[in-house]
Amino acid sequence: YTNSKTVTASAKDSNGNLVTKSVTVTNIDKINPTITREVKDDDAVTVNEKIYHKNLDIVVEATDNESGINEIQYIVSDENYAEVSSAFDNEIGIAISSGDTIYVTNGNSDTRYVYIFASDNAGNYSYVKEVRRISYDYRRKNNSFKNCFRHLSR
């Protein structure tokens, strides 16, 4: 929380009567929520100095000690957005709760991008991006998983 602010408003009626009131607003939350993630990868393999995963589990936690967490969303994409916020401008996020696990499988390319967004009840927000390579050989053998990702609560 940051310093208090005083807001003053005035109103005048049709007879010219003026009323002025001031209100002091305390506990103004200007602090962004914190997003942490624990990446649990499976048996990763290294090919040509690149690490590839068969699947990937990401446990997401979002905290905000001031006004509290309002929402958490994620996107799993083949698209590498330069700005994480662009992912949420161009794709639809999936709502999750703090402590949930995102299960990432393969997509159209060997690299998957996971974008995570959290906002608090005061309108502050944070973004994070997780980049992982998913095994090409695994993807080729398991085409039924193409473009597949799922979310499961704890």
Side-chain angles (χ1 to χ4, degrees):
Y1 290 88
T2 61
N3 297 330
S4 306
K5 299 286 181 186
T6 300
V7 178
T8 302
S10 299
K12 186 187 285 188
D13 66 15
S14 59
N15 293 327
N17 300 313
L18 180 67
V19 175
T20 301
K21 293 286 181 180
S22 295
V23 176
T24 300
V25 179
T26 59
N27 299 332
I28 301 170
D29 177 6
K30 292 186 178 181
I31 300 171
N32 293 341
T34 302
I35 301 172
T36 57
R37 63 227 182 266
E38 178 186 354
V39 178
K40 299 177 178 181
D41 52 4
D42 62 356
D43 299 326
V45 296
T46 302
V47 178
N48 296 328
E49 298 181 13
K50 293 181 179 179
I51 299 173
Y52 291 88
H53 308 272
K54 288 184 181 177
N55 293 300
L56 195 64
D57 299 347
I58 303 173
V59 179
V60 177
E61 294 279 346
T63 56
D64 185 86
N65 295 329
E66 287 71 36
S67 63
I69 293 295
N70 177 47
E71 70 173 329
I72 307 166
Q73 293 184 16
Y74 77 94
I75 295 170
V76 177
S77 179
D78 291 324
E79 186 72 32
N80 183 12
Y81 294 101
E83 296 292 325
V84 177
S85 60
S86 298
F88 290 90
D89 292 339
N90 294 302
E91 300 188 35
I92 298 172
I94 298 171
I96 59 173
S97 298
S98 190
D100 283 359
T101 300
I102 301 168
Y103 297 95
V104 182
T105 60
N106 48 5
N108 290 326
S109 68
D110 69 350
T111 304
R112 301 293 277 161
Y113 301 90
V114 181
Y115 303 95
I116 304 167
F117 164 83
S119 67
D120 67 16
N121 290 308
N124 304 306
Y125 56 88
S126 297
Y127 295 103
V128 295
K129 176 178 172 179
E130 192 71 44
V131 181
R132 290 288 189 262
R133 290 181 182 88
I134 303 295
S135 171
Y136 175 77
D137 289 338
Y138 180 78
R139 191 175 68 233
R140 190 171 44 184
K141 291 177 189 173
N142 295 284
N143 276 334
S144 61
F145 286 104
K146 203 167 205 172
N147 287 324
C148 176
F149 60 92
R150 58 191 168 98
H151 158 255
L152 180 66
S153 297
R154 40 179 168 149

